[in-house]
Coordinates of all heavy atoms in Angstrom, one line a residue:
R1158 N 131.8 113.7 65.8 CA 133.2 113.7 66.2 C 133.9 115.0 66.0 O 134.8 115.4 66.8 CB 133.9 112.6 65.6 CG 134.2 112.7 64.1 CD 135.0 111.5 63.7 NE 135.2 111.6 62.3 CZ 135.6 110.5 61.5 NH1 135.7 109.4 62.1 NH2 135.8 110.7 60.2
D1159 N 133.5 115.9 65.1 CA 134.2 117.2 64.9 C 133.7 118.1 66.0 O 134.4 119.1 66.2 CB 133.8 117.7 63.5 CG 134.5 116.9 62.4 OD1 135.5 116.2 62.7 OD2 134.0 117.0 61.3
D1160 N 132.6 117.9 66.7 CA 132.2 118.8 67.7 C 133.0 118.6 69.0 O 132.9 119.4 69.9 CB 130.7 118.5 68.0 CG 129.8 118.7 66.9 OD1 130.1 119.5 66.0 OD2 128.7 118.1 66.8
Y1161 N 133.7 117.5 69.1 CA 134.4 117.2 70.3 C 135.9 117.3 70.1 O 136.6 116.4 70.5 CB 134.0 115.8 70.8 CG 132.6 115.5 70.9 CD1 132.0 114.5 70.2 CD2 131.7 116.3 71.7 CE1 130.6 114.2 70.3 CE2 130.4 116.1 71.7 CZ 129.8 115.1 71.0 OH 128.5 114.8 71.1
G1162 N 136.4 118.4 69.7 CA 137.8 118.6 69.4 C 138.6 118.5 70.7 O 138.4 119.4 71.6
F1163 N 139.5 117.5 70.8 CA 140.2 117.4 72.0 C 141.1 118.6 72.3 O 141.4 118.9 73.5 CB 141.1 116.1 71.9 CG 140.4 114.8 72.0 CD1 139.0 114.7 72.0 CD2 141.1 113.7 72.1 CE1 138.4 113.5 72.0 CE2 140.5 112.4 72.1 CZ 139.1 112.4 72.1
E1164 N 141.5 119.3 71.3 CA 142.4 120.4 71.5 C 141.7 121.5 72.3 O 142.4 122.4 72.9 CB 142.9 121.0 70.2 CG 141.9 121.6 69.3 CD 141.2 120.6 68.3 OE1 141.3 119.4 68.5 OE2 140.6 121.1 67.4
N1165 N 140.4 121.5 72.5 CA 139.7 122.4 73.3 C 140.0 122.2 74.8 O 139.8 123.1 75.6 CB 138.2 122.2 73.2 CG 137.7 122.6 71.8 OD1 138.4 123.3 71.0 ND2 136.6 122.0 71.4
A1166 N 140.6 121.1 75.2 CA 141.0 120.8 76.5 C 142.5 121.3 76.8 O 142.9 121.1 77.9 CB 140.9 119.3 76.8
Y1167 N 143.1 121.9 75.9 CA 144.5 122.3 76.0 C 144.8 123.0 77.3 O 145.7 122.7 78.1 CB 145.0 123.1 74.8 CG 146.3 123.7 75.0 CD1 147.5 122.9 74.9 CD2 146.5 125.0 75.3 CE1 148.7 123.4 75.1 CE2 147.7 125.6 75.5 CZ 148.9 124.8 75.4 OH 150.1 125.3 75.6
E1168 N 144.1 124.1 77.6 CA 144.4 124.9 78.7 C 144.3 124.1 80.0 O 145.1 124.3 80.9 CB 143.4 126.1 78.8 CG 143.7 127.2 77.9 CD 145.1 127.8 78.1 OE1 145.5 128.0 79.2 OE2 145.8 128.1 77.1
E1169 N 143.3 123.2 80.1 CA 143.2 122.4 81.4 C 144.3 121.3 81.5 O 144.6 120.9 82.6 CB 141.8 121.8 81.4 CG 140.7 122.8 81.6 CD 140.2 123.5 80.4 OE1 140.6 123.0 79.2 OE2 139.5 124.5 80.5
L1170 N 144.8 120.9 80.3 CA 145.7 119.8 80.3 C 147.2 120.1 80.2 O 148.1 119.3 80.4 CB 145.3 118.8 79.2 CG 143.9 118.2 79.4 CD1 143.6 117.3 78.2 CD2 143.8 117.4 80.7
K1171 N 147.5 121.3 79.8 CA 148.8 121.7 79.3 C 150.0 121.4 80.3 O 151.1 121.1 79.9 CB 148.9 123.1 78.9 CG 148.7 124.1 79.9 CD 148.7 125.5 79.4 CE 148.5 126.5 80.5 NZ 148.4 127.9 79.9
D1172 N 149.7 121.4 81.6 CA 150.7 121.1 82.6 C 150.4 119.8 83.4 O 150.9 119.7 84.5 CB 150.9 122.3 83.5 CG 151.5 123.5 82.7 OD1 152.5 123.2 82.0 OD2 151.0 124.6 82.8
Q1173 N 149.6 119.0 82.9 CA 149.2 117.7 83.6 C 150.0 116.6 83.0 O 150.4 116.5 81.8 CB 147.7 117.4 83.3 CG 146.8 118.5 83.8 CD 146.8 118.6 85.3 OE1 146.8 117.7 86.1 NE2 146.9 119.9 85.8
N1174 N 150.3 115.6 83.9 CA 150.9 114.3 83.4 C 149.9 113.6 82.6 O 148.8 113.3 83.1 CB 151.4 113.5 84.6 CG 152.4 114.2 85.4 OD1 153.4 114.7 84.9 ND2 152.3 114.3 86.7
L1175 N 150.2 113.2 81.4 CA 149.3 112.5 80.5 C 149.9 111.4 79.7 O 151.1 111.6 79.2 CB 148.7 113.5 79.5 CG 148.0 114.8 80.0 CD1 147.9 115.8 78.9 CD2 146.7 114.4 80.6
C1176 N 149.2 110.3 79.6 CA 149.6 109.3 78.7 C 148.4 108.9 77.8 O 147.5 108.3 78.3 CB 150.1 108.0 79.5 SG 150.7 106.7 78.4
F1177 N 148.5 109.3 76.6 CA 147.5 109.0 75.6 C 147.8 107.6 75.0 O 148.9 107.4 74.6 CB 147.5 110.0 74.4 CG 147.1 111.4 74.8 CD1 148.2 112.3 75.1 CD2 145.8 111.8 74.9 CE1 147.9 113.6 75.4 CE2 145.5 113.1 75.2 CZ 146.5 114.0 75.5

Side-chain angles (χ1 to χ4, degrees):
R1158 71 180 177 197
D1159 293 337
D1160 299 334
Y1161 308 123
F1163 289 8
E1164 66 273 16
N1165 296 337
Y1167 170 75
E1168 283 299 321
E1169 291 82 17
L1170 298 177
K1171 66 183 179 185
D1172 293 312
Q1173 300 295 315
N1174 296 313
L1175 301 166
C1176 183
F1177 296 95

